[in-house]
Amino acid sequence: MSFSPNIVGFACQWCTYAGADLAGNLRAKYPPTVKLIKVPCSGRVEPEHVLEAFANGADGVLIGGCHFGDCHYKTGNYKTSRRIAIYEKLLKDSGFEADRLRLEWISGAEGYRFAEVIEEFTKQLQEMGPSPMNGGV
Ligand code: FES
């Protein structure tokens, strides 16, 4: 039996969180592996939030934001996009594979896409195995 990864999802309230709501309304099927944290904008997710999620047992972290041009704060998602290189370095320096962090732009109209992303990320993490904090290598 493959393990069921713990995914912490930081979801922008205007798009990805609404997309997750829509996925529920559409009864889109996806694994129950993600725990969403609603944030005002993907740009409000700080590196320490991501590291804390991993330190507390997440096998993967998803940051979900609005598509470019749709951020309610104009540039929050651009800021998030620019931070990815920083996140990758922080994760590698902390002993985690950078692939354990995923950034996706999912709008409130993309319920099926939200479900697909969770399904894909879950499969990817199952192939990678548990995070080093959870006994993985
Ligand atoms: S408001 Fe959604 S990413 Fe900024």
Side-chain angles (χ1 to χ4, degrees):
M1 189 168 94
S2 62
F3 95 107
S4 181
N6 293 316
I7 300 171
V8 172
F10 294 101
C12 163
Q13 67 179 340
W14 301 103
C15 45
T16 305
Y17 198 86
D21 258 354
L22 181 60
N25 289 335
L26 293 169
R27 298 176 190 244
K29 297 258 186 272
Y30 62 91
T33 50
V34 65
K35 290 165 189 71
L36 287 184
I37 298 170
K38 191 195 288 189
V39 294
C41 171
S42 67
R44 291 297 304 275
V45 180
E46 303 290 337
E48 54 264 36
H49 298 142
V50 172
L51 290 178
E52 194 172 327
F54 280 114
N56 283 297
D59 297 298
V61 171
L62 170 74
I63 300 174
C66 303
H67 290 276
F68 291 131
D70 290 343
C71 176
H72 286 235
Y73 306 96
K74 306 267 189 230
T75 58
N77 50 5
Y78 288 99
K79 180 176 157 188
T80 305
S81 180
R82 284 194 304 272
R83 279 186 171 167
I84 281 298
I86 297 168
Y87 286 129
E88 287 177 354
K89 178 161 179 19
L90 279 173
L91 289 177
K92 283 181 192 163
D93 289 351
S94 304
F96 295 92
E97 303 98 322
D99 289 353
R100 290 188 182 276
L101 174 67
R102 188 163 176 155
L103 171 63
E104 292 285 347
W105 311 127
I106 303 169
S107 80
E110 294 177 308
Y112 287 120
R113 176 157 161 63
F114 176 83
E116 282 170 18
V117 165
I118 300 305
E119 176 120 31
E120 281 173 24
F121 197 24
T122 298
K123 281 184 187 159
Q124 177 196 322
L125 292 167
Q126 284 173 328
E127 287 168 13
M128 294 173 79
S131 92
M133 291 297 289
N134 297 331
V137 286

